Amino acid sequence: MKIVCAIDGSRYSAWALEWIAHVCEPDTSSLLLVHAVDMAPFKPLPRLDRKARAALVRVLETSLEGAARLLESAEMKVSKTWGDVKAKLLRGSPAEAIVRAATREHADLLVAGSRGTSDFQPMLIGSVSRKLLMQAPCPVLIIKKPAKTLARLVLGTDGSRESWDAVALLQQLPRDVRPDVLVVSVIPPLPLASAQGKEPAASQADQVRQVLEREAHKLVARAVGTLKKTGFPATGKVVSGHPAAEIVKLAGSERANLTVVGSRSGRSPSEYLLGSVADSVVKHAPCSVLVHRR
């Protein structure tokens, strides 16, 4: 497995380095550590006087030196457990540079920290982690909490190709890592606001719900059976509600260390920002999140 891990010196990227050992086999995987420095915002400053420009150049040189030291320190740290590890300083907008590196390396997994959000500061459109979710050529592991023993995991499934790919990805975890997995399928609410009070519509809606529940249980049972074959203690659950909200709620009540969801690649950025379950799960989950992308 080829892993690209983005680091920036924050505690989140330190946690990312710890997390990698939980989800990948150091003996059979290669690791590329990357850090991006964007000088572009400082180029269109022609009106600076000579003294100010010289000071700016010194600051930028110091920044590059600090970035190099950051990568060197991280490489030394992980080389104790990883045989094939390299570090590379990238130039350009962080998200775009990291995506280019992952694409160039044909990465199987991209790992990055997320600084989290609050009710007053929603995930910014320009945040690196969000752009990685939109643009990455491979699954993305977003780190939100320190690494602990990977004991409990919530897997959201909807029967899509991406959600089955997420199941397959879990089966690639190190052989000695087999956390309890709760497989959940969420039945979304039917759009019945305009049909309230109309008996035929209500009756038909009940029939549709029954069909959806039956199919959801089949889907969950199939995923649970697949995981059990490779040693995962897996159980299943079918719930109703808004998919992202229900998955996040279960991740909290189950005290999950990791939430896993699929994401349909090929969305335009506007589609992703407006309607992605994966985006909402990453934004609100109380734990780290693994998003499978094709």
Side-chain angles (χ1 to χ4, degrees), residues 69-140:
R69 287 195 300 271
L70 172 67
L71 283 169
E72 183 180 7
S73 175
E75 185 178 9
M76 289 179 62
K77 180 178 180 180
V78 298
S79 62
K80 298 174 183 178
T81 52
W82 290 80
D84 187 358
V85 56
K86 298 177 183 177
K88 189 170 185 178
L89 180 60
L90 307 176
R91 301 291 187 97
S93 172
E96 294 173 4
I98 293 166
V99 167
R100 283 197 300 270
T103 303
R104 187 168 53 248
E105 295 292 324
H106 302 287
D108 299 301
L109 180 66
L110 175 57
V111 184
S114 172
R115 295 177 184 272
T117 63
S118 69
D119 291 337
F120 299 101
Q121 185 182 0
M123 205 175 213
L124 300 178
I125 289 179
S127 72
V128 173
S129 58
R130 198 173 208 189
K131 286 185 176 181
L132 294 180
L133 288 175
M134 289 190 289
Q135 301 171 10
C138 61
V140 182

Side-chain angles (χ1 to χ4, degrees), residues 139 153 155-157 160-172 227 260-263 290-293:
L153 186 155
L155 169 66
T157 183
S160 66
R161 183 175 62 176
E162 289 79 9
S163 65
W164 282 114
D165 286 343
V167 172
L169 185 62
L170 285 183
Q171 294 175 299
Q172 297 178 38
L227 289 168
V260 183
V261 291
S263 176
L290 176 59
V291 179
H292 191 285
R293 285 178 52 84

Side-chain angles (χ1 to χ4, degrees), residues 228-283:
K228 282 185 173 181
K229 288 179 182 178
T230 47
F232 287 88
T235 56
K237 191 168 189 175
V238 174
V239 298
S240 297
H242 293 282
E246 294 301 323
I247 292 171
V248 168
K249 188 187 302 182
L250 282 171
S253 63
E254 295 291 327
R255 299 180 182 275
N257 307 113
L258 182 67
T259 299
V260 183
V261 291
S263 176
R264 291 179 178 83
S265 55
R267 288 175 178 264
S268 70
S270 60
E271 287 179 313
Y272 186 89
L273 295 174
L274 289 172
S276 169
V277 170
D279 178 56
S280 295
V281 171
V282 169
K283 182 177 176 181

